[in-house]
């Protein structure tokens, strides 16, 4: 679906992105992760043909971004970090306009509109002018305009930016619901969102890819780095909940390469958070059972990948 | 054509629903009325065609001011609001965007210009003027406005700040108009060349007198075409930046 071949983009002498090289298959949901200024938006702008690479080649759906941007635009739906909305238009009217702009006939738009309004949760506000909507609803209208023409490729730049927790959950559900229908590229600096929504992650730092793959693969990559560099922090963060005394649990967790980050006990249950270079869950389970303790919880915390993210984003290249 | 039509309808809707278009229209019509009262009618008795000529003289200038003010609502405002992204990621060509937005603004501006028709009607009620003179004057005013607006589209494509677009357009128009007095101070062939560039003085005067000349139509048409073409090229070049 997408092939990015040694792509760089310079603004003057400064490189916004450099040496990007990856492919994305049809139907995948890819998360672009990186701190602010890492090059996420530049990458998405390149993929949506809003700007051209200084060097390298991008092909989408078999079309070259430099030679056939018009053909590529037929394939994409794009939501930038600020939704491109005309405040004086009504929601349904705006979506009709967006659909017709993407080559849909009036009939096609009329048929598709109720489905999009329903999916984006906009039925109740369809007759309201956009300027009267809350930020969350505006973001929904932004997504609705991006999907109304059933694009093969959906590009969402920071779709949850500025949303409150309830809106974030709703937006997450909305995006999840779109998987399978589109190839989705999603950028965020909030790792937990990308982690929960995407099949594969692509980590950017200072315009370069520092990690790419599934959550497991990224953790493995980081483990490999940690092994190569003994000074590096370990990457797997696991929480353990065991029914038993604190000392007994501490003894059970005395495993080579395992660092106990936190250990607290309350009402006969000991809670621990541990770190290790390799996934320690198997070893922990065995040791706890061997110690005749009752294992209540053994799970990797969401911050495992966060750990990887921080390290990959912050370490020296 | 379909995309252009779509953009024209949306833009016109924007003008009719947002107050900015009405504010500009009010200012232009107020200026028309005040200038008509102060200069065209005046204190002295004049023949009707002279009153009409003076009305068109000032009406042309007001339309130019309108073109300058409306230029902010062309491409710069779209970029400032971030809505240009919707257009530039849709299968629509840059030329269609420029022409669509330009035509919508021109239509709205022409409607505002035609709202001043009550002034020539007043002359018609109290004197004798030809319909041809009125038609020629309005064709001239709309062409003058269209040309200013096309220059505004070019200026507007160069910046994302609507206010700067207005200043740039105003500067271009004033500069072109200043070419006429400047031309009087130099020798041929520069005299003709500089004089030819003045939008109002050189090319609107015949319309003001009730005369539609092909050479003026070609001049206005040429400036409009090349300004819109340049604006399109500026938009296309954005992808490289």
């Amino acid at each position: 679906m997408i092939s990015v071949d040694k792509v760089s983009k310079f603004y003057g002498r400064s490189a916004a992105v450099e040496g990007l090289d990856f492919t994305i298959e049809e139907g995948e949901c890819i998360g672009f992760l990186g701190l602010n200024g890492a090059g996420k938006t530049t990458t998405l702008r390149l993929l949506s043909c809003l700007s051209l690479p200084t060097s390298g080649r991008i092909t989408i759906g078999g079309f070259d971004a430099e030679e056939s941007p018009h053909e590529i635009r037929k394939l994409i739906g794009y939501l930038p970090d600020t939704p491109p909305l005309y405040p004086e238009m009504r929601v349904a009217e705006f979506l009709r306009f967006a659909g017709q702009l993407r080559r849909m006939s009036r009939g096609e738009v009329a048929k598709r509109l109720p489905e999009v309004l329903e999916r984006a949760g906009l039925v109740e506000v369809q007759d309201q002018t956009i300027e009267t909507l809350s930020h969350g609803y505006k973001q929904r209208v932004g997504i609705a305009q991006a999907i109304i023409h059933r694009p093969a490729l959906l590009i969402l730049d920071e779709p949850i930016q500025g949303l409150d927790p309830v809106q974030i959950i709703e937006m997450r559900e909305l995006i999840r619901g779109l998987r399978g229908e589109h190839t989705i590229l999603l950028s965020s600096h909030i790792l937990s969102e990308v982690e929960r929504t995407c099949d594969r992650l692509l980590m950017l730092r200072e315009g370069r890819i520092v990690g790419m793959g599934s959550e497991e693969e990224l953790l493995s990559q980081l483990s490999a780095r940690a092994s190569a560099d003994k000074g590096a922090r370990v990457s797997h963060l696991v929480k353990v909940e065991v029914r038993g005394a604190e000392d007994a649990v501490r003894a059970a967790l005395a495993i080579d390469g395992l660092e106990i980050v936190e250990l607290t006990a309350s009402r006969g249950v000991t809670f621990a958070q541990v770190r290790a270079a390799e996934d320690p869950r198997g070893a922990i389970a065995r040791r706890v059972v061997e110690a005749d303790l009752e294992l209540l919880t053994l799970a990797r915390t969401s911050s495992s990948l966060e750990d990887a993210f921080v390290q990959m984003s912050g370490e020296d290249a | 054509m379909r995309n252009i039509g779509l953009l024209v309808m949306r833009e016109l809707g924007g003008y009719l629903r947002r107050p900015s278009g009405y504010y500009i229209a009010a200012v232009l019509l107020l200026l028309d009325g005040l200038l008509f009262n102060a200069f065209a009618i005046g204190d002295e008795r004049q023949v009707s065609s002279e009153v009409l000529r003076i009305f068109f003289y000032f009406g042309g200038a007001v339309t130019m001011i309108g073109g300058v003010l409306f230029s902010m609502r062309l491409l710069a405002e779209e970029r400032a609001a971030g809505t240009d992204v919707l257009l530039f990621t849709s299968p629509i060509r840059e030329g269609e965007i420029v022409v669509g937005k330009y035509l919508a603004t021109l239509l709205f501006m022409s409607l505002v210009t035609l709202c001043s028709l009550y002034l020539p009607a007043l002359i018609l009620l109290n004197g004798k003027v030809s319909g041809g003179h009125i038609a020629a004057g309005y064709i001239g005013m709309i062409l003058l406005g269209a040309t200013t607006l096309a220059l505004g589209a070019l200026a507007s494509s160069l910046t994302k700040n609507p206010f700067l677009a207005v200043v740039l357009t105003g500067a271009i128009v004033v500069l072109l108009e200043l070419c006429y007095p400047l031309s009087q101070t130099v020798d041929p062939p520069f005299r003709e060349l500089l004089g030819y560039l003045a939008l109002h003085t050189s090319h609107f005067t015949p319309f003001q007198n009730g005369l539609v000349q092909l050479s003026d139509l070609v001049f206005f048409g040429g400036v409009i075409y090349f300004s819109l073409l340049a604006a399109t090229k500026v938009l296309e070049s954005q992808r490289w930046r």
Side-chain angles (χ1 to χ4, degrees):
Chain A
M1 176 80 195
I2 300 172
S3 164
V4 175
D5 187 17
K6 297 181 184 68
V7 163
S8 298
K9 177 73 181 179
F10 284 79
Y11 293 112
R13 285 185 174 181
S14 104
V17 291
E18 202 169 359
L20 297 184
D21 207 286
F22 57 87
T23 54
I24 294 170
E25 299 302 323
E26 197 169 339
E28 275 192 293
C29 180
I30 306 292
F32 285 76
L33 267 174
L35 303 177
N36 290 332
K40 304 185 296 292
T41 296
T42 303
T43 307
L44 296 187
R45 284 178 65 87
L46 289 168
L47 292 172
S48 59
C49 293
L50 277 170
S51 63
L52 283 170
T54 311
S55 63
R57 188 164 186 251
I58 296 174
T59 50
I60 297 174
F63 297 106
D64 185 276
E66 190 175 334
E67 289 162 10
S68 315
H70 205 64
E71 297 304 320
I72 290 175
R73 286 171 187 168
K74 290 177 190 168
L75 302 175
I76 63 170
Y78 181 54
L79 172 68
D81 49 2
T82 307
L85 311 173
Y86 293 104
E88 75 279 4
M89 292 181 93
R90 295 183 191 282
V91 172
E93 176 194 20
F94 171 72
L95 294 178
R96 274 194 287 271
F97 169 70
Q100 287 181 281
L101 209 54
R102 271 74 169 263
R103 299 284 173 96
M104 292 175 86
S105 70
R106 282 184 177 205
E108 284 170 333
V109 173
K111 206 171 163 185
R112 170 80 169 145
L113 188 62
E115 189 187 331
V116 171
L117 288 169
E118 177 72 40
R119 173 161 263 184
L122 294 166
V123 175
E124 288 173 12
V125 297
Q126 61 177 306
D127 294 322
Q128 269 183 243
T129 51
I130 290 169
E131 63 194 340
T132 63
L133 299 179
S134 67
H135 180 68
Y137 271 117
K138 283 181 182 166
Q139 204 75 0
R140 284 162 175 267
V141 179
I143 289 206
Q145 65 78 25
I147 62 169
I148 188 150
H149 55 303
R150 291 195 176 88
L153 174 62
L154 184 59
I155 301 174
L156 309 172
D157 191 2
E158 303 273 3
I160 58 157
Q161 191 169 293
L163 299 182
D164 64 36
V166 175
Q167 291 169 335
I168 288 176
I169 292 168
E170 290 171 350
M171 184 59 71
R172 191 189 300 148
E173 290 308 311
L174 174 59
I175 295 170
R176 275 183 183 164
L178 297 170
R179 290 178 58 169
E181 287 178 44
H182 316 266
T183 302
I184 300 177
L185 309 184
L186 173 93
S187 87
S188 180
H189 61 275
I190 301 172
L191 180 106
S192 56
E193 283 314 310
V194 180
E195 187 183 358
R196 285 176 200 181
T197 317
C198 302
D199 305 316
R200 242 182 349 134
L201 307 175
L202 199 148
M203 284 188 177
L204 288 163
R205 177 178 168 260
E206 292 177 2
R208 290 174 178 274
I209 296 172
V210 291
M212 186 163 51
S214 64
E215 185 183 348
E216 294 291 333
E217 287 165 347
L218 281 174
L219 288 169
S220 301
Q221 285 172 29
L222 194 71
S223 296
R225 287 188 199 190
S227 305
D229 177 7
K230 286 177 183 174
R233 288 194 300 151
V234 288
S235 57
H236 292 265
L237 199 61
V238 169
K239 66 175 177 183
V240 188
E241 216 176 349
V242 178
R243 194 180 305 280
E246 189 177 333
D247 289 345
V249 175
R250 190 185 294 279
L253 294 178
I255 300 168
D256 275 350
L258 191 82
E259 178 195 354
I260 299 174
V261 180
E262 190 188 346
L263 192 80
T264 52
S266 170
R267 295 177 185 177
V269 175
T270 302
F271 171 81
Q273 201 161 32
V274 297
R275 234 191 251 277
E278 300 295 330
D279 187 353
R281 287 174 296 177
I284 292 171
R286 276 194 301 276
R287 291 293 296 269
V288 170
V289 172
E290 282 168 13
D292 208 18
L293 297 166
E294 193 181 340
L295 186 59
L296 301 176
T297 305
L298 179 62
R300 207 158 52 196
T301 68
S302 59
S303 55
S304 296
L305 194 56
E306 206 161 312
D307 222 28
F309 178 46
V310 171
Q311 287 187 48
M312 286 182 170
S313 298
E315 72 189 6
D316 291 330
Chain B
M1 277 310 284
R2 178 185 177 273
N3 288 333
I4 291 173
L6 198 63
L7 278 180
V8 168
M9 293 311 290
R10 201 223 74 75
E11 287 299 310
L12 267 181
Y15 276 114
L16 296 172
R17 285 183 208 173
R18 301 188 77 176
S20 58
Y22 291 105
Y23 292 151
I24 297 174
V27 168
L28 297 181
L29 291 172
L30 184 71
L31 275 176
D32 270 332
L34 288 175
L35 291 169
F36 179 77
N37 212 41
F39 297 101
I41 296 178
D43 296 329
E44 293 172 24
R45 289 178 66 83
Q46 294 177 104
V47 293
S48 301
S49 62
E50 182 61 10
V51 175
L52 190 62
R53 195 191 66 76
I54 296 170
F55 161 69
F56 282 135
Y57 176 80
F58 287 107
V62 170
T63 315
M64 286 174 89
I65 294 170
V68 171
L69 294 178
F70 278 116
S71 66
M72 80 170 120
R73 284 231 43 196
L74 287 165
L75 304 158
E77 195 177 75
E78 194 93 36
R79 289 163 76 184
T83 45
D84 59 330
V85 173
L86 175 68
L87 303 178
F88 292 134
T89 54
S90 298
I92 175 166
R93 307 213 179 260
E94 284 80 356
E96 292 175 319
I97 296 171
V98 170
V99 173
K101 291 190 73 72
Y102 171 78
L103 281 181
T105 311
L106 179 60
L107 269 172
F108 187 76
M109 200 172 77
S110 301
L111 277 175
V112 175
T113 304
L114 291 174
C115 282
S116 68
L117 261 172
Y118 74 96
L119 293 169
L122 281 176
I123 305 172
L124 204 61
L125 278 176
N126 296 293
K128 195 178 174 186
V129 287
S130 77
H133 191 172
I134 295 175
Y138 271 91
I139 289 171
M141 283 210 291
I142 288 169
L143 272 175
L144 194 58
T147 307
T148 312
L149 200 60
L151 290 167
L154 174 58
S156 195
S157 69
L158 295 167
T159 173
K160 60 162 69 172
N161 183 332
F163 178 71
L164 199 58
V166 169
V167 173
L168 257 175
T169 312
I172 295 170
V173 170
V174 168
L175 209 68
L176 288 176
E177 210 47 48
L178 283 177
C179 283
Y180 189 80
L182 197 65
S183 72
Q184 304 305 304
T185 64
V186 294
D187 296 324
F190 296 108
R191 175 182 288 249
E192 288 75 19
L193 186 73
L194 282 173
Y196 186 72
L197 294 174
L199 299 176
H200 190 290
T201 315
S202 298
H203 297 281
F204 181 65
T205 308
F207 290 100
Q208 180 184 311
N209 295 328
L211 209 63
V212 179
Q213 295 183 155
L214 184 65
S215 58
D216 297 318
L217 295 177
V218 169
F219 173 80
F220 285 132
V223 175
I224 291 168
Y225 176 77
F226 284 109
S227 298
L228 297 184
L229 186 67
T232 303
K233 294 296 169 195
V234 170
L235 290 192
E236 284 173 356
S237 74
Q238 276 176 12
R239 294 182 68 223
W240 293 98
R241 283 183 243 156

